[in-house]
Amino acid sequence: MPTASMVSRISRPSPRVVRGLALAVLVTQALIAVTGVIVRVTGSGLGCPTWPQCFPDSMVPVQHPEVATLHQVIEFGNRLLTGVIGFIALACFLAAWGVRPYRRRLVGLALVMPLGVIAQAVIGGMTVLVNLAWWSVSVHFMASAVLIWLATVLVKATTEGDREPIGVVPPRMRKLLAALVLVTAAVLVLGTLVTAAGPHAGDPDTPRLGLPVPTLVQAHGLLVMAYVLLLAVFGVWLRGARPTKALLKVYGAACVLVLVQGAIGSIQYYLGVPEAMVVAHVLCATLVIIVTALLWGESRYRGPLPEPIPEAAAKQSVAA
């Protein structure tokens, strides 16, 4: 005869299941940002020239004399990935909803994921309908950046409790982290402007942002240097703050990633922005977003995970 705990595990998802789904959401959100840049550097942005259909009267690619088959496959594949992300995000939300005790913050963060996928799909459709106008591509990437950040916060929420956050580091260090987050956002925004003025538009006929690329690159580089400086100051202060092992590991990862990202950015600029380097640059940018979000999360403590509560109905079923 099954025990109460066995029935409870069947009827309610475990925190481990929610954590696994949250990680899957984070990975796929980062992945679609990378596949999005592949669409752009291969000139496949209008491989499916309409939305939500791929071609008029067709949801899937069809032979067309003016659109290469490879471009259709790349763009349509990116659209299919959006559906996969939406399915995983919905599963994560339902799992978070089913966890007992009910966790309002966890459910709220999980709910943002499927809603964010819908919003991102609409923004992507708008980008196609305005023929990849530079500002629409910038908005599209920044929406992905926000969702990657929130997905990272969701993953962290699956490993911690629901208490009011207590600072792991002194207030001045938390203020420094707030400045680091703002600089990260500024780096990303300016990075999209560099892209908007650069050669990889997603389609050869798309107009570019009429600003000088060298000036934008210099401003972007200065912001990256500001990020490195803030990170260095945080590290100096961290030595006397008695940090947790998790915070130290995330800090080390952030230092390595921002240096790698800076090197990739410099190399791609001097090599004339080759396609592979652009993809690597965006991949590293998604990782920088993740580690910065983890730095923010690990600087606060919300207590241990709440103990699972077996359902009364499950106990009654076993007793019967």
Side-chain angles (χ1 to χ4, degrees):
M1 179 178 292
T3 65
S5 60
M6 291 171 61
V7 175
S8 178
R9 283 196 295 270
I10 294 173
S11 58
R12 292 291 181 182
S14 69
R16 181 175 296 179
V17 170
V18 180
R19 189 176 307 132
L21 288 169
L23 281 169
V25 170
L26 175 58
V27 170
T28 51
Q29 285 289 1
L31 179 61
I32 200 167
V34 175
T35 60
V37 77
I38 292 174
V39 170
R40 180 165 55 80
V41 299
T42 57
S44 305
L46 295 179
C48 285
T50 62
W51 187 87
Q53 296 177 317
C54 184
F55 282 88
D57 301 322
S58 177
M59 295 296 295
V60 298
V62 296
Q63 284 191 336
H64 195 284
E66 297 181 0
V67 184
T69 301
L70 179 61
H71 291 170
Q72 294 185 40
V73 170
I74 293 174
E75 167 62 11
F76 187 69
N78 194 57
R79 293 189 181 190
L80 287 179
L81 183 57
T82 300
V84 173
I85 296 174
F87 177 80
I88 296 173
L90 180 60
C92 183
F93 165 66
L94 294 175
W97 179 274
V99 167
R100 292 295 179 270
Y102 179 80
R103 301 182 58 196
R104 182 187 299 272
R105 179 171 178 266
L106 180 66
V107 172
L109 287 169
L111 177 59
V112 169
M113 293 299 106
L115 294 180
V117 172
I118 294 172
Q120 182 71 311
V122 172
I123 294 171
M126 175 196 70
T127 302
V128 171
L129 295 178
V130 298
N131 295 319
L132 310 182
W134 69 264
W135 56 266
S136 66
V137 177
S138 296
V139 171
H140 198 30
F141 178 79
M142 289 308 299
S144 283
V146 171
L147 288 175
I148 291 170
W149 177 281
L150 292 175
T152 306
V153 175
L154 172 62
V155 171
K156 183 69 173 68
T158 65
T159 67
E160 62 187 4
D162 301 312
R163 300 175 187 172
E164 285 297 315
I166 300 173
V168 173
V169 295
R172 65 173 183 172
M173 295 182 68
R174 294 199 296 273
K175 291 179 181 178
L176 187 65
L177 278 179
L180 190 70
V181 172
L182 292 176
V183 170
T184 303
V187 168
L188 293 172
V189 170
L190 203 52
T192 67
L193 297 184
V194 174
T195 296
H200 301 298
D203 185 82
D205 299 325
T206 299
R208 312 307 293 134
L209 174 63
L211 293 175
V213 172
T215 301
L216 291 172
V217 169
Q218 288 175 2
H220 182 65
L222 288 174
L223 285 173
V224 173
M225 291 175 63
Y227 183 102
V228 173
L229 177 61
L230 290 172
L231 200 62
V233 174
F234 185 82
V236 172
W237 288 352
L238 198 60
R239 296 178 61 185
R242 295 183 179 179
T244 62
K245 290 183 178 179
L247 180 56
L248 283 174
K249 288 180 180 179
V250 173
Y251 176 75
C255 291
V256 171
L257 281 171
V258 72
L259 292 176
V260 171
Q261 176 71 325
I264 292 174
S266 299
I267 293 171
Q268 74 162 357
Y269 178 69
Y270 288 112
L271 291 181
V273 260
E275 289 82 356
M277 294 295 292
V278 175
V279 175
H281 195 51
V282 171
L283 172 60
C284 203
T286 64
L287 297 177
V288 170
I289 295 170
I290 292 170
V291 295
T292 305
L294 287 175
L295 267 179
W296 180 267
E298 293 295 347
S299 69
R300 289 155 173 77
Y301 178 66
R302 290 180 175 270
L305 276 173
E307 291 293 328
I309 299 177
E311 297 177 275
K315 292 182 178 180
Q316 292 173 3
S317 173
V318 173

